[in-house]
Structure formats: C-alpha cells, structure tokens
C-alpha cells in the first residue's frame, strides 16, 4: 500500500511506525521510519534486498529475542537494540514497542509497532553514567581524605578514605553533619572555618591533627577548604581535602638537621658556596668562606657580581663552555677548574661545581648553586707530576730497550717500545695478557723465572731469551726490579729487555772460530779432540767400533807453487765439501792444518770385520770423490789423497795415539805410491 493511503496520524508520527504481516514482512511504514533507515521513498526501501527488522540488528540473535517476547506476551515494550540504518550502514540505537493484533479466534492478523531513534539520548545517558563513575573513581583514587558539604554543613559526598577515618561508609556519611561524628565542640570549629571560606570566597589552609571517633591519630594533616560554586557563580558548598603531611614534616626536620650537618661538613672540607640568579646580570653571590679564599672581606658575600669577572682570561672560554653545556642539558652538572684573581694580585686555582636548582615553567634555568674549593696545592703537585712524567717519557723514548710493567702473576700492564718490530705482537694486544699467552713456551718460562726472582729478592738480571720475529731470530737480555707500591696497591714489576742479538752473533762467531777452521769451516784439531773423546765414550758404552781416517793430499805443494796459494785455498775448500758428502751426519770431517784432513766414523758394527769393511767402503768412496777433476777459476785440476785408517773399540787406545796410528798408516799409503788407503797395523813403520 502506498504511503498516501495511510492515515494522517500514522504518517505524521515523529517516530517510525509500521505494520507487518505475521511472518514479519512490513506492509506499511510511515515517513519517519523511512528516514530512520536512510530512505526517501517507500519504493526505494522496498527495492533494497535487505528488509527492516530481519537485517537491521547488529547483535546476532537479537531479532529472534524480539520475536520470542512478542509471541510469548503479545507485546514488546522498551526493547532497546543497536541497529543499522539499512541504506548507509550507520549504527544507531533504537527503542521498539510492538503488539500483536488477533481476530476473534485469537489468530494473529498483523503486528503493529514503533521504532524510535534514541542514539543521542543513549549517548547522553552513557556520558552521564561515565561522568558519575569517573567522579567516583577520581574521589576514590585520591589518597587524601575528600568531602563536600553544602552551605549548611550537610555532607553531600565523600571518598572512602574520609568515611573510614570516621568509622563509617560513604552512604552513612551523606546527609549528616559534623556534630554526629566529632561532637558539638569540634563541629563548631569546623563550621567556623567553613564560614570563613563561604564569606571570603577564598581557600583556607590549616595544619594539625584530624580528630576521629574511632582512633587516636597523632598524624599531622594539611586541610584545605575551597568554595564550590554553582553555574551562576554563587557559592553552593565547601570542598575539603585532608592530606597526610607527617612525612613532609619529618623530612623538613631532617632537612634542618642535614643542612646543619652539611654546613659543618663544608667547613671541615674547606668548601665555599655560591648562588647564581641567572635572571640578574649581577646575580652571582659568594659566601663568606669563598670570599676568604680570594682574600676578600666576608661582607662582600652580600654583594652580587657578574659571573666570571674574577676568572683568568685564558681559563674563561673553557669555563664558559662547561657552563653552557650544563645549562643546555648536555651535562648533568657544571664542573670547571680555573684561576681566580686574589685581592693581592696573584692567581688562585679554584675547583667549581654547580647545578641548576630552579627552572621556569618553560624549562629555562633560573638559578644555580654550587661549591668552590681552593685547589692550588693540588695543581702544584699535578704540574710537578706532569713535569716528572714528561721527563720519564723523554727518558723512555731515548732508551733503545723494551720496557714492560707486570703484575705479580705475570700480566702485562704497560708496554713501551721505541721499535715495534721488536715486539712479538702489538702493544695494545699484550695489555692484561699473561706472559705465557704472548711469548713462546721457552721464552715465557725464562721471563716468569726472572719475575719470580724479582718478587723474592727485589731484582733479577742477566737472563737471556730469544724470539723469532719478522726480521729473524732476536736475542734479549732481561733485567727485572720490583716496583715500590703503596699498601693495598697491586704489586708491580718493571722489566727491561735489551736486544743483544749483535753481541750474541759476535759471541757465536768467536766460539765458532775457536773450534772451526777459518778456511773450510770444518772442525779444527781442538773440536776434533772433543768429538773423538765423545766417540770413544760412546764406543765403550755401546761396544761398537769406530774408525779414524787421516788424509793428506798428494803433491799439494806443487799446486800452490804453480798456481798460487789462492788456488790452493780453493782446492782445500772443495776437498772439504766433497769429504762432507761422503760421510753420515753422525760422522765428523776435520782439518788439522795445511792439506791434512781427518774423518771420524762412529757407531759401526760390534764385529771388527764388519767395521773394517764399512771403513774401507768409506775410504774408497773418498778416494773416488777426490780423484774427480776440480774446476778452479775456469782451469781443470786433479789431485789425489793418501789415506791412513785405524779402528778403535772403547778406551783401549787414547785419542792422540789413534791420530798417530792413522798418520802412520797414511805414510804407508804414500810409500805404496799414493792415492790409496792403508789400515794401521802394529807392524807399520
């Protein structure tokens, strides 16, 4: 049915109205219901696939609840739900009323109902509830005791803290006067204070205990009473709040005591104080002790001065930078050391510390306080120390040695070197490491032995160790002393390592010359004697044979005479090299002098025949090698040897006698025509 067919009353209702058949399909609706759902015409509404009612409810099942109530009671009243404006999808709150229309037999003919948009009303109600809840929560959250009375002294509300103080509940307090809880006498005092607030329109603050009918509470409270005003500005009551200030009172008393103690401490530490009002150009005030430090009259403590006017010009920029850093918040405190002018003209070193203690609402620093200390004596000591350190550093740079500082357990504490190539690893990597973690095992053992000796006796000198560094093996001589320390300080040891590689090489060269032939590098007669004694001892111990071969070069004098001694020397060097190639590593080739060589063969068989065969083999190998031509300065030369050999077993024959035996056998080889080998026999000439 079209809207123009509806009754005028139905159509003009300000709330939505409808009629639906028993299955819920709307057959009539007024203009207000169309507007409520966002439609302008009934045709537009019916053209929408969604239907009012079935598709309206936000909460699932809400439509079913509506139908069940309607079927059970025949009507529905004040059914509040959240729904959609079907066209826009906007969520709204509605209140529904509906009833069933039945025929005479009780059968449902249709349903009539109204739908009212109560979104604004509901929001206002919720807001009011939230405000009331918020107010109650605020009252209960405040730890102080809070109450509100009207101008006649009747309690309108209070929080739980106030009610519990009186031994009651909030509900019991509301509607009562003070006399009911604290008696007429105290109530008159409370009313008197309330009247002052009402009459003056100003807040009133009191301090003292707060009487209670249920407990004796000696706590000191700060009570603030404030006038409450209505919408027209008239006073309608008095708001009271009582705050426990016992802790504050205790703190104030403690602060007084602490201030007195601080004053005594500053006197004992000889500290002065200053106060700087940053808002005033001459707002810097020194106390009497600060004035005395600078030779000024204590009365000057009452005179403001510009900050920084007593500071030495050279120190002013750094001091100003420190001040700005603190004022900007970059540093938590202001600290500076500078020279200040004394009244007699000299400069006094001052240590200055301070901090901002007051700022504006915008965060701008307004006031600073701080302390002053005369640090002239300390600065004098520091300057002397710096001079000593500079002298020490210069000395260290001049030293060619490595200088170390160690803890008692062998940890590197300081490493100094004028040449980093003499360090096994960079100095920074050695700090706090143990010696055993830096040096090879053998060197570390020597180092630790020197440290232990210095700990026990006070010093250690003369210990040598070597390191394989990038530029070769280097030798160092170690000297260690125990460092004097104060009680409680870590024990320290100072070690100096001097590079003695050149000296070591010289010593080794001298030792080598003492035991080796200068021309060929072979062991000389002295070293041969030592090795022969060792070979005899080994032969005795192992019951094995050894052999001694004595070589003389045939007609060597002719070579010298015809070609010169320099060619002869080259020949001797070549012979030495060929002899070394004919023996084992355990054997020895020595040069006795001139063209005489000796070969010592060790560790041969226990059987004399086997030993003789081995010796013969070596001898013939030597003969063959030395017979090969020699190319000396581009000219080919030949030379032959005569070899005498003798066997030995243990200490049966002395070393000198063995040399004589081999020498005799060599002459026998020469007699046989040279270039041959003969064994010694007792029948030899």
């Amino acid at each position: 049915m079209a809207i123009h067919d509806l009754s005028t009353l139905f159509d003009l209702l300000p709330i939505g109205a409808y009629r639906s058949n028993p299955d819920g399909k709307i057959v009539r609706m007024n203009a207000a219901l169309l507007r409520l759902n966002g439609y302008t015409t009934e045709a537009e509404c019916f053209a929408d696939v969604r239907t009012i009612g079935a598709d309206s409810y936000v909460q699932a099942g809400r439509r079913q609840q509506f139908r069940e109530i309607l079927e059970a009671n025949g009507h529905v009243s004040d059914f509040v739900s959240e729904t959609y404006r079907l066209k826009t999808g906007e969520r709204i709150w509605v209140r529904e009323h509906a009833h069933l229309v039945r025929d005479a037999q009780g059968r449902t003919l249709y349903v009539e109902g109204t739908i009212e948009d109560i979104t604004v009303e509901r929001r206002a109600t919720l807001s009011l509830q939230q405000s009331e809840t918020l107010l109650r929560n605020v009252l209960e959250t405040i730890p102080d005791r809070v109450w509100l009375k009207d101008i006649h002294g009747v309690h309108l509300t209070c929080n739980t803290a106030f009610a519990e103080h009186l031994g009651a509940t909030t509900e019991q307090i509301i509607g009562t006067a003070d006399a009911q809880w604290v008696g007429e006498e105290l109530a008159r005092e409370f009313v008197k204070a309330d009247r002052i607030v009402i009459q003056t329109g100003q807040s009133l603050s009191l301090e003292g205990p707060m009487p209670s009918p249920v407990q004796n509470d000696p706590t000191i409270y700060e009570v603030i009473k404030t006038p409450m005003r209505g919408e027209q500005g008239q006073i309608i009551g008095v708001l009271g709040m009582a705050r426990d200030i016992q802790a504050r009172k205790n703190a104030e008393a403690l602060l007084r005591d602490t201030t007195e103690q601080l004053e005594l401490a500053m006197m004992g530490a000889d500290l002065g104080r200053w106060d700087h009002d940053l808002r005033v150009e001459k707002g810097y005030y020194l106390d009497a002790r600060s004035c005395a430090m600078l030779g000024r009259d204590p009365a000057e403590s009452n005179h403001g001065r510009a900050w920084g006017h007593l500071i030495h010009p050279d120190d002013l920029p750094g001091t100003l930078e420190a001040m700005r850093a603190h004022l900007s918040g970059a540093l938590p405190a202001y600290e500076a050391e500078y020279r200040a002018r004394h009244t007699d003209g000299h400069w006094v070193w001052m240590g200055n510390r301070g901090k901002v203690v007051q700022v504006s609402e915008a965060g701008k620093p307004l006031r600073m306080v701080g302390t002053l200390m005369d640090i002239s004596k300390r600065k004098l000591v520091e300057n002397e120390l710096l001079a000593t350190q500079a002298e020490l550093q210069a000395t260290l740079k001049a030293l060619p040695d490595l200088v170390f500082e160690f803890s008692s357990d062998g940890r590197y504490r300081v490493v100094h070197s004028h040449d980093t190539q003499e360090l096994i690893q960079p100095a920074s990597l050695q700090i706090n490491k143990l010696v055993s973690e830096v040096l090879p095992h053998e060197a570390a053992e020597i180092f630790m032995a020197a440290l232990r000796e210095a700990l026990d006796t006070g010093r250690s000198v003369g210990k040598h160790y070597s390191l394989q560094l990038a530029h070769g093996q280097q030798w160092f001589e170690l000297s260690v002393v125990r460092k004097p320390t104060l009680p409680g300080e870590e024990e320290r040891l100072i070690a100096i390592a001097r590079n003695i590689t050149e000296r070591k090489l010289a010593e080794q060269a001298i030792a080598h010359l003492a035991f080796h032939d200068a021309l060929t590098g072979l062991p000389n007669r002295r070293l041969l004697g030592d090795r022969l004694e060792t070979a005899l001892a080994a032969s005795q111990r192992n019951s094995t044979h050894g052999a001694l071969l004595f070589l003389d070069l045939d007609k060597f004098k002719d070579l010298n005479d015809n070609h010169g001694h320099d060619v002869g020397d080259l020949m001797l060097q070549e012979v030495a090299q060929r002899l070394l190639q004919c023996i084992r590593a355990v054997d020895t080739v020595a040069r006795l002098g001139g063209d005489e060589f000796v070969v010592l063969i060790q560790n041969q068989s226990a059987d004399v025949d086997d030993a003789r065969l081995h010796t013969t083999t070596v001898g013939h190998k030597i003969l063959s090698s030395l017979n090969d031509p020699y190319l000396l300065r581009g000219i080919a030369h030949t030379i032959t040897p005569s070899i005498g050999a003798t066997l030995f077993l243990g200490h049966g024959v002395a070393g000198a006698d063995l040399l004589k035996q081999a020498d005799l056998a060599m002459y026998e080889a020469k007699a046989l025509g040279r270039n041959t080998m003969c064994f010694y026999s007792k029948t030899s000439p």
Side-chain angles (χ1 to χ4, degrees):
M1 180 179 291
I3 291 180
H4 59 77
D5 295 326
L6 298 178
S7 66
T8 302
L9 178 62
F10 180 83
D11 188 50
L12 295 178
L13 279 174
I15 63 175
Y18 65 87
R19 175 178 290 180
S20 67
N21 58 26
D23 63 1
K25 183 176 180 181
I26 294 177
V27 295
R28 288 185 180 180
M29 68 182 77
N30 67 355
L33 184 60
L34 286 171
R35 289 193 301 272
L36 186 145
N37 282 279
Y39 301 113
T40 55
T41 66
E42 190 177 62
E44 182 185 11
C45 177
F46 286 138
D48 196 332
V49 296
R50 296 165 297 180
T51 60
I52 297 174
D55 300 313
S56 297
Y57 295 95
V58 173
Q59 182 180 353
R62 190 65 176 161
R63 176 65 176 174
Q64 183 61 31
Q65 293 174 5
F66 177 85
R67 296 294 301 176
E68 290 174 355
I69 295 172
L70 184 63
E71 293 293 339
N73 301 327
H75 65 87
V76 176
S77 299
D78 291 321
F79 192 77
V80 177
S81 306
E82 188 178 16
T83 66
Y84 298 105
R85 295 190 197 276
L86 285 187
K87 183 176 180 180
T88 64
E90 176 189 358
R91 290 188 178 194
I92 60 174
W93 285 90
V94 299
R95 181 188 295 116
E96 294 186 74
H97 299 271
H99 67 275
L100 295 176
V101 178
R102 294 186 172 94
D103 60 14
Q105 288 73 36
R107 291 174 297 187
T108 300
L109 297 176
Y110 52 85
V111 178
E112 289 182 337
T114 62
I115 303 176
E116 181 182 2
D117 184 349
I118 61 169
T119 303
V120 175
E121 174 188 333
R122 182 174 178 83
R123 288 174 180 169
T125 301
L126 289 175
S127 177
L128 179 60
Q129 291 174 349
Q130 290 172 355
S131 297
E132 292 176 348
T133 301
L134 177 61
L135 176 60
R136 174 52 52 188
N137 288 339
V138 169
L139 286 175
E140 296 303 328
T141 302
I142 296 174
D144 305 320
R145 298 167 184 178
V146 183
W147 65 93
L148 177 63
K149 293 188 290 187
D150 64 16
I151 58 176
H152 304 294
V154 177
H155 287 279
L156 300 177
T157 189
C158 68
N159 64 0
T160 301
F162 179 79
E164 289 178 346
H165 171 71
L166 297 179
T169 64
T170 299
E171 290 73 16
Q172 291 172 329
I173 299 295
I174 294 174
T176 67
D178 292 326
Q180 180 176 333
W181 305 102
V182 298
E184 293 291 343
E185 185 177 353
L186 280 175
R188 282 195 293 271
E189 296 296 325
F190 292 168
V191 169
K192 185 185 297 185
D194 290 344
R195 285 176 180 169
I196 293 174
V197 173
I198 294 171
Q199 291 171 0
T200 63
Q202 302 293 324
S203 295
L204 180 65
S205 179
L206 307 166
E207 287 187 6
M210 206 175 163
S212 169
V214 295
Q215 58 181 332
N216 181 20
D217 184 7
T219 304
I220 301 299
Y221 290 86
E222 180 184 31
V223 178
I224 301 175
K225 294 190 173 185
T226 304
M228 294 293 292
R229 300 181 183 274
E231 294 181 358
Q232 304 303 319
Q234 75 279 17
I235 296 176
I236 60 174
V238 177
L239 175 67
M241 183 173 68
R243 174 168 296 169
D244 182 349
I245 60 171
Q246 188 64 57
R248 191 186 81 190
K249 287 294 184 181
N250 295 340
E252 289 174 352
L254 179 61
L255 178 60
R256 287 193 297 271
D257 294 341
T258 303
T259 302
E260 293 174 359
Q261 294 173 8
L262 177 60
E263 187 70 20
L264 292 173
M266 292 185 68
M267 291 176 62
D270 201 19
L271 291 174
R273 287 183 300 175
W274 54 267
D275 193 306
H276 190 188
D277 187 343
L278 299 171
R279 296 165 295 186
V280 181
E281 181 181 357
K282 294 185 177 182
Y284 188 71
Y285 290 84
L286 300 175
D287 71 349
R289 277 196 298 275
S290 298
C291 290
M293 292 178 189
L294 298 173
R296 299 182 177 276
D297 190 329
E300 289 191 31
S301 61
N302 297 319
H303 300 160
R305 65 193 75 221
W307 178 87
H309 84 286
L310 296 177
I311 300 176
H312 192 289
D314 292 344
D315 300 334
L316 187 58
T319 308
L320 183 59
E321 182 179 352
M323 176 67 76
R324 287 172 176 166
H326 174 55
L327 294 179
S328 68
L331 292 177
Y334 158 67
E335 295 186 44
E337 293 182 355
Y338 55 79
R339 288 162 291 178
R341 189 173 65 251
H342 195 276
T343 52
D344 64 7
H346 76 276
W347 295 97
V348 180
W349 273 102
M350 307 296 289
N352 197 335
R353 292 174 58 88
K355 196 168 187 178
V356 172
V357 295
Q358 184 180 352
V359 296
S360 68
E361 292 183 359
K364 181 180 179 181
L366 300 178
R367 178 170 169 252
M368 289 181 66
V369 297
T371 61
L372 278 175
M373 175 183 283
D374 185 340
I375 59 172
S376 300
K377 292 181 179 179
R378 194 197 81 195
K379 279 293 184 179
L380 179 61
V381 173
E382 286 180 355
N383 290 335
E384 291 176 352
L385 179 59
L386 288 174
T388 302
Q389 288 177 336
E391 184 178 348
L392 176 59
Q393 191 64 30
T395 302
L396 287 175
K397 288 182 178 179
L399 281 176
D401 307 318
L402 301 175
V403 181
F404 305 98
E405 190 169 329
F406 290 94
S407 61
S408 59
D409 60 348
R411 290 187 183 276
Y412 290 86
R413 296 305 192 203
V414 177
V415 177
H416 173 79
S417 172
H418 72 287
D419 185 357
T420 57
Q421 288 188 339
E422 293 193 348
L423 295 176
I424 197 166
Q425 58 181 236
S428 59
L429 298 181
Q430 298 183 42
I431 301 300
N432 294 327
K433 284 185 179 179
L434 291 169
V435 170
S436 58
E437 296 173 325
V438 175
L439 300 182
H441 177 73
E442 184 176 350
E445 286 294 316
I446 295 171
F447 224 109
M448 286 305 299
L451 295 179
R452 286 191 290 269
E453 182 179 349
L455 277 175
D456 293 339
T457 66
R459 64 180 301 168
S460 174
V461 295
K463 288 184 170 56
H464 295 176
Y465 68 95
S466 67
L467 296 176
Q468 188 64 41
L469 301 178
H471 54 295
Q473 186 179 32
Q474 301 294 303
W475 281 91
F476 297 89
E477 183 175 70
L478 191 60
S479 299
V480 184
V481 295
R482 188 172 55 220
K483 180 181 178 181
T485 55
L486 296 174
E489 285 187 330
E490 181 184 53
E491 278 192 303
R492 295 289 183 93
L493 298 149
I494 304 297
I496 295 178
R498 173 163 294 176
N499 192 319
I500 58 169
T501 304
E502 291 185 5
R503 191 178 86 192
K504 273 286 184 180
L505 293 176
E507 290 174 354
Q508 291 173 357
I510 292 171
H512 187 273
L513 289 174
F515 291 95
H516 290 79
D517 174 52
L519 178 63
T520 63
L522 295 176
N524 58 16
R525 183 183 295 272
R526 182 178 178 183
L527 182 55
L528 175 64
D530 291 342
R531 293 191 179 178
L532 183 54
E533 288 301 319
T534 302
L536 289 170
S539 175
Q540 180 75 33
R541 183 172 59 254
N542 302 324
S543 299
T544 56
H545 285 83
L548 199 65
L549 279 63
F550 198 109
L551 287 79
D552 183 86
L553 300 180
D554 300 328
K555 299 181 180 180
F556 179 72
K557 184 177 181 300
D558 294 344
L559 179 67
N560 274 337
D561 293 343
N562 294 327
H563 298 283
H565 288 281
D566 52 345
V567 174
D569 289 345
L570 292 175
M571 174 67 76
L572 292 174
Q573 291 172 342
E574 180 65 24
V575 167
Q577 292 302 311
R578 294 189 185 189
L579 288 174
L580 288 172
Q581 294 171 3
C582 294
I583 63 170
R584 303 167 300 176
V586 72
D587 301 328
T588 298
V589 176
R591 181 187 177 210
L592 298 186
D595 59 344
E596 294 179 338
F597 296 86
V598 173
V599 177
L600 173 61
I601 304 174
Q602 301 185 65
N603 297 337
Q604 298 195 75
S605 174
D607 183 79
V608 66
D609 292 333
D610 288 343
R612 186 182 182 91
L613 178 60
H614 183 201
T615 303
T616 301
T617 302
V618 173
H620 283 285
K621 185 177 181 181
I622 291 172
L623 285 169
S624 176
S625 177
L626 297 189
N627 271 270
D628 286 340
Y630 299 83
L631 189 63
L632 305 175
R633 293 187 176 175
I635 302 174
H637 299 274
T638 59
I639 200 164
T640 61
S642 294
I643 305 174
T646 184
L647 298 177
F648 59 86
L649 181 63
H651 286 291
V653 180
D657 292 336
L658 287 174
L659 277 173
K660 291 178 181 178
Q661 291 178 1
D663 187 31
L664 290 173
M666 182 272 293
Y667 278 110
E668 185 176 350
K670 283 190 178 288
L672 292 176
R674 300 184 178 89
N675 197 23
T676 187
M677 183 179 82
C678 289
F679 276 91
Y680 169 78
S681 67
K682 293 182 179 179
T683 60
S684 298

